[in-house]
Amino acid sequence: MRRWYRRDDQAAVAPDDLRAMREKAGWTPERMADEMGVLPVEVTAWESGAIAADLRQAALIRWHIEQAEYEARLPRSHCYWSRANEARLQRMWEQGLVSAARAYDEMEAHARECGECMYVKILRRDMPPPPQPPAEPGFRGWMRSLRARIGRLPVWLRLPLQTADFALHMAAVYMALLLVSRIRGDAPSLSPTGMVVLGAFILWIGRLGKRLLPLAARRPYLAGQLFAAGIALPAILLAGLLGEWNLGSAEGWVGVGVMSLFAGGVAGHWVAKEEPEHETNADPSWDEEERVVEIPQQAHWFKP
C-alpha cells in the first residue's frame, strides 16, 4: 500500500485516538470499514496497533465521520413521493452523469409541485457548507485543493481564475509538445494559434455536453447524434481553415458522416444504459396521513 507519510512515532496515529473517533460517532468497526472502503479486519488492526494508521488515513476517517454527521443533520422531506423514490434516485445519482441529470430534473419537477420538498430545498440552500475532504499530499493534492477553493468563490471571480487555470494547462501541453519536437529535431506540431484553437474546441465540447444533458434524459440516441455532429462539424471546419483538410472532398464528408453516425449511436447507447431498472419502492403500509413533515429550524441544525 502506498504511504504518503513517514511511518514513525510522529507520523503514526495512536490506536486509542482512532477508537475514540469511531465510538464518538457511534459506529461499529463494520460501519467504519464500509465508509472507508476497507475490510473490517483492517479497522481492527488499526485500533489494536497491529497496523499503524498514518495521518492521512486518520484525516480520512475524521472526514467520513464529519460527513456522515453533516448528512444526518440535513433537513429531509417526508412526503410520500420522496420516501418512495429515495433509493432509486440515489442509485441514479451514483450511476453516471446523465443519470444524475435525470434524477436532478425529476426532483426539481416534483419540488415545484410539492410545498414540503420546496421548503426543504430552501432550507438546504441556506445551510453551512459540507466538510471538505483532506487534501492529497503533493503537487496533485495542492492543485485539487486550489481548484476546490476556486469553485467556492463568487462567479465574477471564479470565471477568470478558472480560465487562467485552463490556459496554464494548455500552455504546459504546448511546452511539452515543443520540447518533444526540439528533441526529435522536427518542426513544432502545433503553433500557438493552433493551441488556442484546440483549447477553444475543448471548451466547446464541454459546453455542448452540458447543453445536451436535458435532451439526453429524454432522447438519448438523438442527443448522442447531435453530440457527435457537434464535434465532427467544427473539427472539420477548423481543420479546413488550418489547411489540414480539403473541404471540397465529397468522399471525406461521406466518411466523416458515417463515423459521426456510428459514434453518435454508441454514445446514445451508452447514455441509454445508464437508466436504472424500474422498481417500485413504495411501501403499501404507508398511510396518506404520514405525509406530515417535521423540519427542524435552522438554529438547531448545528449546535455549538
Side-chain angles (χ1 to χ4, degrees), residues 1-195:
M1 180 182 296
R2 185 178 182 182
R3 299 293 178 183
W4 294 100
Y5 294 92
R6 293 179 294 108
R7 302 293 301 280
D8 52 22
D9 294 339
Q10 287 75 26
V13 180
D16 294 339
D17 295 339
L18 296 177
R19 187 181 301 107
M21 284 192 296
R22 177 180 61 80
E23 293 177 351
K24 181 180 179 181
W27 287 5
T28 62
E30 291 76 14
R31 169 74 183 278
M32 178 177 286
D34 183 65
E35 295 287 343
M36 291 287 296
V38 299
L39 296 175
V41 65
E42 188 166 356
V43 175
T44 305
W46 286 342
E47 296 184 355
S48 64
I51 299 178
D54 57 32
L55 297 179
R56 175 165 173 77
Q57 290 170 334
L60 284 173
I61 293 173
R62 186 179 295 106
W63 175 74
H64 279 290
I65 293 175
E66 293 176 353
Q67 182 70 17
E69 293 176 350
Y70 179 87
E71 293 179 355
R73 295 188 182 103
L74 286 175
R76 301 180 184 277
S77 175
H78 299 286
C79 75
Y80 182 82
W81 186 91
S82 298
R83 297 169 63 185
N85 294 276
E86 183 177 5
R88 180 178 63 85
L89 293 174
Q90 182 63 31
R91 285 194 299 271
M92 293 176 68
W93 274 106
E94 298 172 354
Q95 196 163 6
L97 182 62
V98 179
S99 294
R102 290 196 187 105
Y104 177 80
D105 292 340
E106 191 171 341
M107 289 188 295
E108 287 293 313
H110 169 73
R112 286 193 293 268
E113 303 294 333
C114 178
E116 297 173 1
C117 294
M118 178 59 70
Y119 183 50
V120 170
K121 179 181 176 182
I122 295 174
L123 292 180
R124 288 194 176 192
R125 184 186 60 188
D126 299 331
M127 286 185 63
Q132 297 299 317
E136 180 180 343
F139 179 75
R140 181 183 301 178
W142 179 80
M143 289 297 297
R144 289 181 178 177
S145 177
L146 179 61
R147 293 194 187 100
R149 292 181 181 180
I150 292 176
R152 294 192 295 269
L153 294 174
V155 177
W156 64 271
L157 186 59
R158 184 193 319 159
L159 292 179
L161 290 178
Q162 289 177 344
T163 303
D165 179 67
F166 182 76
L168 287 176
H169 278 75
M170 296 303 298
V173 172
Y174 176 74
M175 294 301 295
L177 293 176
L178 183 62
L179 179 61
V180 172
S181 301
R182 291 290 180 86
I183 294 175
R184 297 176 56 183
D186 302 332
S189 56
L190 280 177
S191 63
T193 304
M195 289 299 299

Side-chain angles (χ1 to χ4, degrees), residues 232-247:
L233 185 59
I236 293 175
L237 294 177
L238 290 176
L241 293 175
L242 296 175
E244 302 292 337
W245 179 270
N246 184 12
L247 296 177

Side-chain angles (χ1 to χ4, degrees), residues 180-292:
V180 172
S181 301
R182 291 290 180 86
I183 294 175
R184 297 176 56 183
D186 302 332
S189 56
L190 280 177
S191 63
T193 304
M195 289 299 299
V196 172
V197 173
L198 178 61
F201 185 65
I202 294 175
L203 292 177
W204 161 253
I205 292 176
R207 179 65 62 180
L208 179 64
K210 291 181 180 179
R211 292 290 183 182
L212 291 176
L213 276 179
L215 179 62
R218 302 186 302 271
R219 299 287 187 271
Y221 287 98
L222 177 59
Q225 294 294 339
L226 292 177
F227 183 70
I231 294 177
L233 185 59
I236 293 175
L237 294 177
L238 290 176
L241 293 175
L242 296 175
E244 302 292 337
W245 179 270
N246 184 12
L247 296 177
S249 174
E251 294 81 1
W253 282 101
V254 171
V256 170
V258 172
M259 292 179 60
S260 177
L261 289 174
F262 176 76
V266 171
H269 179 69
W270 174 74
V271 171
K273 285 179 63 178
E274 288 192 7
E275 182 68 28
E277 298 181 0
H278 177 72
E279 294 184 7
T280 302
N281 296 320
D283 188 350
S285 63
W286 290 354
D287 193 352
E288 291 294 329
E289 295 180 359
E290 295 185 3
R291 298 180 63 177
V292 179

